[in-house]
Amino acid sequence: MKRDLTVLSVFGTRPEAIKMAPLVKCLERTAGIKSVVCVTAQHRQMLDSVMEQFDITPDYDLNLMHAGQTLTTITTGVLEGLDKVLNQVKPDVTLVHGDTTTSTAAALASFYHQVAVGHVEAGLRSYDKYSPFPEEMNRVLTSRMATLHFAPTEKSRENLQREGITEGVYVVGNTVIDALHQMVHDAYVFRSEALKTLPLQDGRWIVMTAHRRENLGTPLEHICRAVKRLVEDTPDVHVVYPVHPNPAVRTTVEKILGGVDRVHLIDPLEVEDMHNLIKRCFMVMTDSGGLQEEAPALGKPIVVLRTETERPEVVEAGLAMLAGVEEEQVYQAGMRLLTDKELYHRMAHAVNPYGDGHTSEKIAAILLQYKESLPEND
Ligand code: UD1
Ligand code: UDP
């Protein structure tokens, strides 16, 4: 193929943006590739914060987020919005990331236009249709539609192979490590006013997040009660919890953890503050997918607030403990890390399985190879 390869990157939520941003920047500087960005704004403020941080101005913005959005309204919004964008841009490849509703709907819209889909962070599986929900099904469906599969680890490649997907699969690491390399600095000064007021030099700090759909309601209540007990029983421990803006998350968290001594509930942080906060904390407790990759890469043990994980690499490497979502289990897992120095040391020194921070360049090189495989007169 003689002309530039037009690559349309589509994303809409905070984690997709954080992991696609280093790739978009890399594509922008790659000769032979024309990079076009479309955000769906499934998230608004949390997405815009990442775009600003990485200095990316989208070419298209579907501006979808609205109060009370549902999986159906997001899906139909992405399908309809992208129909127009795909007609205008006529990309050679659409890049989607991971497992959100934005990514699967964008893959479907591209498939309807017979545009090849490149799936970044392909091949993760929990093998439970309803956990994480709807992400597990989103990933499986996207894999069926994709032409290029950028798997972060050998394990994710094997998952794809088990489903008969062997063509166009590349093990490249995870772009989240690229993002971390750009963000984390020893002399970093926090920008968040809320962080500036916290006594981060005193005691041990736990960074906590929890937002997953399947944890809303009772599981999140259990998690919050366990964390409250951990803090009450360990006088040198503080928790900083940037709370997801979803009202279903906020209501529960504020009810149980609001006003608790040494628990600091704050608004979502800019990604650079967040990454540098993880770097300085004692440990992480989370149900987030991205944090399961970041914390170990920064040498921080992690308690996973879920019953399963699609990131078994971190558990097998001894970097994470899968705690479940029952109050007593979460409390015990947290307590072990706070009291067992030998365990803590081991977990803080295991090797991160997600690559060397050059994943974006590897993906760009594979896209250029793909360009060469397309017909000469195209
Ligand atoms: C989505 C993803 C999930 C990912 C998470 C990251 C799906 C199905 N789920 O879930 O995989 O882990 O994003 O955070 O795609 N909100 C705001 N401002 C924002 C963002 C969200 O107010 O900037 C509130 C809105 O009330 C919104 C709600 O959060 O309705 C939920 O957002 P939504 O994207 O529907 O689901 P998440 O739980 O964030
Ligand atoms: N993150 C952030 N600010 C916050 C909380 C999280 O920038 O206040 C980052 C975090 O470091 C990680 C990503 O957001 O890179 C994870 O996003 P989230 O937990 O929303 O989604 P998931 O990874 O579970 O899909």
Side-chain angles (χ1 to χ4, degrees), residues 2-5 25-35 364-365 367-369 371-372:
K2 289 197 180 101
R3 61 176 176 79
D4 284 357
L5 187 83
K25 299 305 269 185
C26 176
L27 296 180
E28 279 171 1
R29 51 175 194 266
T30 302
I33 288 180
K34 181 181 173 217
S35 170
L367 288 169
L368 288 176
Q369 264 177 40
K371 173 177 175 323
E372 291 315 310

Side-chain angles (χ1 to χ4, degrees), residues 333-375:
M335 227 10 159
R336 276 189 69 198
L337 268 167
L338 288 168
T339 53
D340 186 337
K341 284 197 178 128
E342 207 252 316
L343 172 73
Y344 180 88
H345 184 80
R346 231 182 316 133
M347 288 181 73
H349 289 86
V351 176
N352 135 56
Y354 292 112
D356 55 7
H358 293 285
T359 296
S360 303
E361 291 142 52
K362 290 176 194 156
I363 294 174
I366 294 161
L367 288 169
L368 288 176
Q369 264 177 40
Y370 176 73
K371 173 177 175 323
E372 291 315 310
S373 74
L374 296 176

Side-chain angles (χ1 to χ4, degrees), residues 12-16 41-49 65-71 73-74 98-104 132-135 138-139 211-213 216 244-249 268 287-290:
T13 67
R14 171 174 66 189
E16 296 167 88
Q42 175 179 336
H43 287 172
R44 188 70 274 174
Q45 308 91 308
M46 295 206 300
L47 172 78
D48 293 345
S49 158
M65 197 184 95
H66 60 272
Q69 66 191 18
T70 66
L71 297 175
T73 59
I74 303 166
D99 53 21
T100 68
T101 296
T102 284
S103 39
T104 305
F133 173 83
E135 288 82 4
N138 282 347
R139 305 169 181 131
H211 68 84
R212 303 224 75 81
R213 250 163 230 265
L216 298 180
H244 191 293
N246 188 345
V249 175
D287 66 2
S288 157

